[in-house]
Amino acid sequence: MVKVIHSIVEFVGKATSWLTTILVLFVCFDVFRRYFLKDSAAWIMELEWHLFALIFLLGAAYTLKHNKHVRVDAFYENFSTKDKALVNLIGGLVLLIPWCCIMIYMSWTYAYNSFLINESSPDPGGLPARYIIKFSIVLGIGLLLLQSVAMVIESWQKIKSDRL
């Protein structure tokens, strides 16, 4: 199960990294339009924000998988492998997994209500179907939940193997 989760998270993470290139191209296009053509469009700016959000939402699980997330390393850095696994196990079970479950529930309701009213941008010329980006919150946190489960399983296995 852990290998399947890792392969899903790895695939989505690598695919998401390409959104950074797309975002840079859109920002350059937007800057060119604004400063050289003296023109702007709401849909371009909104698409930039949506791409930015997708990079962080879909990249969070990948970041956790590769242990590159922000952490206060005052003590953790000097812990043994077993102690690190114990911190990850307790942190995952007590903090991360419950937080992901709450966020999925809340963001599902948020996105579903947006879908029911067919929410679109309030700006003239903005993007339609705003619920799509809102459902990406559910997807991103869902991937983070999967990676959290994998992290907890791996931490438990490290603790168990260290006892033998």
Side-chain angles (χ1 to χ4, degrees):
M1 181 166 131
V2 172
K3 287 183 181 183
V4 172
I5 292 171
H6 282 320
S7 64
I8 291 168
V9 168
E10 192 71 24
F11 175 79
V12 172
K14 287 182 178 179
T16 300
S17 69
W18 285 100
L19 292 178
T20 306
T21 304
I22 295 168
L23 176 60
V24 168
L25 293 174
F26 269 104
V27 169
C28 290
F29 177 66
D30 188 22
V31 167
F32 175 78
R33 279 186 64 161
R34 256 191 276 158
Y35 291 102
F36 294 105
L37 302 179
K38 306 293 186 218
D39 186 30
S40 185
W43 70 269
I44 294 173
M45 288 184 280
E46 288 182 9
L47 189 57
E48 290 168 3
W49 280 105
H50 289 194
L51 288 170
F52 185 72
L54 287 171
I55 290 165
F56 281 90
L57 287 168
L58 300 178
Y62 182 83
T63 303
L64 180 61
K65 177 183 181 288
H66 291 280
N67 202 24
K68 298 295 183 188
H69 55 287
V70 176
R71 160 193 326 263
V72 179
D73 278 344
F75 303 104
Y76 186 86
E77 186 177 292
N78 298 320
F79 284 177
S80 67
T81 303
K82 179 185 174 189
D83 289 341
K84 287 180 181 179
L86 188 60
V87 168
N88 289 341
L89 177 72
I90 292 169
L93 288 174
V94 175
L95 299 172
L96 190 53
I97 290 175
W99 178 84
C100 286
C101 291
I102 291 167
M103 288 299 297
I104 288 169
Y105 174 76
M106 298 300 289
S107 60
W108 176 266
T109 304
Y110 177 64
Y112 185 67
N113 288 337
S114 177
F115 173 75
L116 289 177
I117 64 169
N118 195 24
E119 184 181 8
S120 63
S121 173
D123 297 322
L127 295 175
R130 186 165 269 184
Y131 53 85
I132 293 172
I133 194 67
K134 291 182 178 185
F135 274 114
S136 71
I137 299 169
V138 178
L139 178 62
I141 302 298
L143 286 168
L144 185 60
L145 175 62
L146 281 176
Q147 185 56 45
S148 302
V149 168
M151 180 189 73
V152 164
I153 291 169
E154 288 177 324
S155 297
W156 176 251
Q157 289 171 343
K158 284 179 187 174
I159 292 168
K160 268 180 57 176
S161 69
D162 204 32
R163 287 185 186 168
L164 299 175

